[in-house]
Amino acid sequence: MLLLLFSAPSCSTSQALTLRRLSHAVTEACGSIALDRDGWLEPEAVAAAAAWAIGELRSEGGSQQPETSLPPLKPQGEFRFAPASTAATMRLATEERYSAVADAAHGGDGTAQHTLGLLHYSGVGGAQRDERESAYWHAAAAVAGNVEALATLGGCVRRGVGAELDEAAGLDIITACAAAGSPVGLVKLGVCHEDGDLPGKPADAQRAAALFESAASVWVGGEPPSESESESEASPPPRRRSALALFQHGFAQVYGIGTRRDVEAGAAAWLSAAKLAPDDGAEEAAWGLYSEQGSLSPALRRRVHPDRCLRLSAALEYAPAVAELARRGERTGQRDEAAEGERRRKRFTRQELSKARSWTGRDERAEAYLEQLLGGGGL
């Protein structure tokens, strides 16, 4: 068993905790950790150092150095895949995501490292399913300053998945990430409340639902993108909402878990999550829109396009969607490719959608991604 370098404090957090301060403290705390024989940082050591750093931040209180003196916050969350051609985008959504980010991850990009961790955990996007490898990548991303990856690493050690079990350190990390405004931290803390996994506290679905709502309302990385970032066509914006948080919030609303049941509002949250594909959570949101289509109003069903949601979820390798697509294919047989191509060309239009709402450059990019992925018509 690896000897942990630092002891983990309790799960309380400081009100002054911010993403920038937490990111910097964890990176600094991990600077003296020895590498393993393969040149990697052990996930357990990173988690222990992070828990120690959180305790230090708490004990410093008002004596902390001004945040403006700290280095800028590094890019947060998952790697941003730029829109591409139809074939290339489809490959990115399936077997080529791993190869698309591997070089950046090995080069120290914290968002690419976090994405590789997620791909390895699920065994999708060209990555082998390997929980230990997943934890290593999340640890590397956390050291690089990615608080979303840090929260995910907290989940790994809290449950002993891909890392040695250390529930106290895991809960402390998750709680701190949530207090700093990390969507993944808020989601994981919500799951702890929902499952009754917090020491001395009963399960609390209402508290969980409130945390999911908070997670869905904040931006990955803190502040929303500037107007210039939102409208830029050069690349995807560096900050956006969390697909995982939107999925969890929508799930609570659709099924009325800890909050008033509101299928339409929940489906709208799922739709927002699906538009963030291939981010983690988009695949389950798209599947939810397909599987719950009978509960949607006719107007929302037309906007959602459940069959396209099924194809999106399957393209992201979500097992229930893959199985359903195979079942439907066995039942209906193969479609005529020429007829299918003509049908798609006829529906490749946005005139009616443009009348319904005002589109920003960011909206256009999100819809274009789905059009390219699904072969016509956005969600």
Side-chain angles (χ1 to χ4, degrees), residues 22-328:
L22 178 59
S23 171
H24 174 71
V26 170
T27 299
E28 288 288 299
C30 293
S32 61
I33 299 177
L35 304 179
D36 69 10
R37 63 188 178 190
D38 295 319
W40 287 81
L41 292 173
E42 295 276 4
E44 296 85 356
V46 172
W52 176 86
I54 290 164
E56 290 295 294
L57 286 174
R58 184 186 306 110
S59 64
E60 289 173 7
S63 65
Q64 296 172 4
Q65 65 185 110
E67 185 162 324
T68 53
S69 68
L70 300 177
L73 183 67
K74 296 286 186 66
Q76 300 292 297
E78 299 176 44
F79 186 83
R80 298 291 176 247
F81 294 96
S85 66
T86 302
T89 304
M90 179 63 80
R91 286 195 297 273
L92 278 178
T94 54
E95 75 273 11
E96 290 195 1
R97 272 182 289 166
Y98 182 92
S99 60
V101 302
D103 286 346
H106 284 284
D109 185 318
T111 64
Q113 292 169 338
H114 181 42
T115 291
L116 281 194
L118 294 170
L119 295 178
H120 273 297
Y121 178 76
S122 299
V124 300
Q128 293 293 321
R129 177 167 171 75
D130 189 328
E131 292 176 350
R132 183 61 173 169
E133 188 78 2
S134 173
Y136 265 110
W137 281 114
H138 290 312
V143 175
N146 192 333
V147 180
E148 302 305 287
L150 176 63
T152 307
L153 177 64
C156 293
V157 298
R158 182 183 79 83
R159 298 185 297 120
V161 176
E164 293 180 12
L165 178 67
D166 189 338
E167 187 174 6
L171 286 175
D172 205 44
I173 290 169
I174 289 169
T175 306
C177 291
S182 156
V184 173
L186 287 162
V187 165
K188 291 191 176 298
L189 185 58
V191 171
C192 289
H193 278 283
E194 189 172 56
D195 295 343
D197 286 342
L198 294 176
K201 294 184 179 180
D204 189 340
Q206 290 185 328
R207 178 61 179 152
L211 286 164
F212 296 151
E213 182 177 7
S214 295
S217 69
V218 299
W219 295 87
V220 176
E223 296 297 322
S226 66
E227 193 66 23
S228 60
E229 288 174 333
S230 298
E231 298 297 333
S232 171
E233 297 296 330
S235 63
R239 291 184 293 273
R240 58 181 180 179
R241 299 197 192 278
S242 164
L244 178 64
L246 288 162
F247 166 71
Q248 291 283 10
H249 178 45
F251 192 93
Q253 291 180 304
V254 168
Y255 299 109
I257 301 174
T259 187
R260 181 177 63 86
R261 188 170 188 231
D262 189 336
V263 175
E264 297 284 295
W270 280 351
L271 183 58
S272 295
K275 288 181 179 181
L276 293 172
D279 283 9
D280 186 42
E283 73 291 343
E284 290 191 79
W287 170 251
L289 289 168
Y290 170 77
S291 61
E292 293 295 334
Q293 60 182 292
S295 301
L296 306 181
S297 67
L300 184 55
R301 196 180 306 122
R302 286 192 297 271
R303 180 184 169 203
V304 163
H305 294 295
D307 283 353
R308 292 198 181 101
C309 290
L310 172 63
R311 291 197 294 276
L312 172 60
S313 186
L316 295 172
E317 302 173 76
Y318 188 56
V322 172
E324 173 65 7
L325 206 59
R327 186 189 68 80
R328 285 176 34 152

Side-chain angles (χ1 to χ4, degrees), residues 271 274-275 289 300-309 311-312 344 347-351 353 357 359 363-379:
L271 183 58
K275 288 181 179 181
L289 289 168
L300 184 55
R301 196 180 306 122
R302 286 192 297 271
R303 180 184 169 203
V304 163
H305 294 295
D307 283 353
R308 292 198 181 101
C309 290
R311 291 197 294 276
L312 172 60
R344 289 175 174 173
R347 297 185 69 172
F348 195 81
T349 178
R350 155 165 292 102
Q351 293 179 355
L353 286 173
R357 57 183 290 230
W359 292 81
D363 291 326
E364 292 285 359
R365 282 195 302 277
E367 290 292 310
Y369 181 93
L370 292 174
E371 285 182 341
Q372 292 159 355
L373 177 62
L374 302 176
L379 287 178

